[in-house]
């Protein structure tokens, strides 16, 4: 999306979000990003990865939605999926805690790579609220228009699908998806997996087995959460 007017986005999403892309808000956001690039700033993730979460998880394939906040702002980390890092990158603390809970919950081995691409390909939408960030500046792109765009994604999922699992870690994610219809969908809430809060109610919540139990109860194929298999 850098200086090009066209965005590469999976068709199933594009047709549902077309009006968003044509909104004044998104035009302003695009102009802001172009300006940032022209000023020589480094932005994560790469332009072709802004919409990686949706390109890896088309609308029709979504089973689980995990809501994050901002992309990682260190070199080589962010690649468009919340909580995920590229192969070969050291696990950030929140991801380490997610993997600890994953092992305790379903017995999955701690993987060597911190990439959650395998989850995304199985129907886990790993959606950050804000889809870009400036190098070294956490939350630099908050309030520029991304939040409304990702709100729309959650609204579309809530309205047009049934029997989704929404995994909301931390008060930010819980507030963002507070409108989700709990009669139609299953919502799993816990504190954020960051080291600051994980011991206050993240560990022991078994989100992965709970998600699968719900999918199974609805006749939907489960997620293989084990990234080593």
């Amino acid at each position: 999306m850098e200086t090009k007017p066209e965005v590469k986005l999976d068709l199933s999403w594009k047709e549902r979000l077309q009006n968003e892309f044509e909104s004044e808000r998104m035009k302003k956001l695009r102009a802001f990003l172009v300006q940032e690039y022209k000023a020589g700033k480094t932005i994560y993730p790469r332009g072709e990865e802004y919409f990686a979460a949706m390109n890896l998880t088309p609308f029709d394939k979504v089973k689980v939605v995990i809501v994050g906040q901002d992309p990682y702002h260190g070199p080589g980390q962010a690649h468009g999926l919340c909580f995920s890092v590229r192969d070969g990158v050291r696990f950030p603390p929140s991801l380490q805690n997610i993997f600890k809970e994953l092992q305790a919950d379903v017995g999955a081995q701690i993987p060597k790579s911190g990439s959650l691409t395998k989850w995304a390909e199985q129907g886990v939408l790993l959606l950050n609220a804000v889809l870009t960030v400036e190098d070294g500046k956490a939350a630099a792109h908050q309030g520029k228009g991304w939040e409304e765009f990702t709100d729309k994604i959650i609204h579309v999922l809530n309205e047009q699908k049934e029997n989704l699992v929404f995994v909301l870690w931390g008060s930010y994610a819980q507030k963002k998806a507070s409108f989700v219809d709990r009669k139609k969908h299953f919502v799993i809430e816990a504190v954020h997996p960051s080291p600051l809060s994980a011991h206050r109610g993240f560990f022991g919540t078994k989100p992965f087995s709970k998600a699968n139990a719900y999918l199974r109860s609805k006749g939907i194929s489960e997620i293989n959460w084990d990234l080593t298999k």
Side-chain angles (χ1 to χ4, degrees), residues 62-64 161-166 183-186 214-215 218 220:
V62 180
K63 299 177 185 179
V64 178
K161 290 186 79 82
E162 289 181 2
N163 304 328
L164 294 178
V165 179
F166 286 86
K183 293 191 186 80
K184 279 172 69 179
H185 306 291
F186 181 51
Y214 176 80
L215 293 173
K218 299 295 179 184
I220 300 166

Side-chain angles (χ1 to χ4, degrees), residues 22-180:
E22 289 160 10
S23 70
E24 279 309 307
R25 186 176 60 248
M26 283 301 274
K27 287 175 187 166
K28 280 183 187 163
L29 173 59
R30 188 176 306 223
F32 163 74
L33 290 168
V34 168
Q35 216 38 56
E36 294 290 280
Y37 280 110
K38 282 183 178 163
K41 293 181 180 176
T42 301
I43 292 172
Y44 304 130
R46 296 192 288 246
E48 66 270 22
E49 293 174 326
Y50 289 178
F51 303 115
M54 288 172 286
N55 287 331
L56 283 166
T57 316
F59 180 84
D60 304 324
K61 300 275 177 68
V62 180
K63 299 177 185 179
V64 178
V65 183
I66 299 179
V67 178
Q69 192 163 353
D70 274 273
Y72 296 120
H73 56 272
Q77 291 181 306
H79 64 128
L81 307 177
C82 71
F83 294 108
S84 179
V85 289
R86 293 182 200 285
D87 287 341
V89 175
R90 193 174 164 202
F91 302 168
S94 290
L95 186 59
Q96 284 180 32
N97 287 337
I98 288 169
F99 287 155
K100 280 181 195 167
E101 177 61 17
L102 178 67
Q103 187 174 42
D105 182 7
V106 297
Q109 291 303 303
I110 305 273
K112 290 193 167 54
S113 167
S115 170
L116 305 180
T117 302
K118 281 184 183 171
W119 289 0
E121 289 169 345
Q122 293 180 75
V124 182
L125 183 68
L126 295 159
L127 183 68
N128 270 322
V130 177
L131 300 187
T132 56
V133 72
E134 186 182 337
D135 174 48
K137 291 192 179 175
H141 293 181
Q142 283 187 8
K144 302 294 183 186
W146 279 129
E147 289 95 336
E148 291 84 355
F149 177 72
T150 52
D151 281 351
K152 178 67 177 175
I153 291 170
I154 298 171
H155 271 287
V156 165
L157 287 164
N158 179 52
E159 288 159 16
Q160 297 185 21
K161 290 186 79 82
E162 289 181 2
N163 304 328
L164 294 178
V165 179
F166 286 86
V167 179
L168 310 176
W169 289 326
S171 56
Y172 183 93
Q174 288 158 21
K175 192 173 171 191
K176 185 170 180 70
S178 60
F179 58 82
V180 167

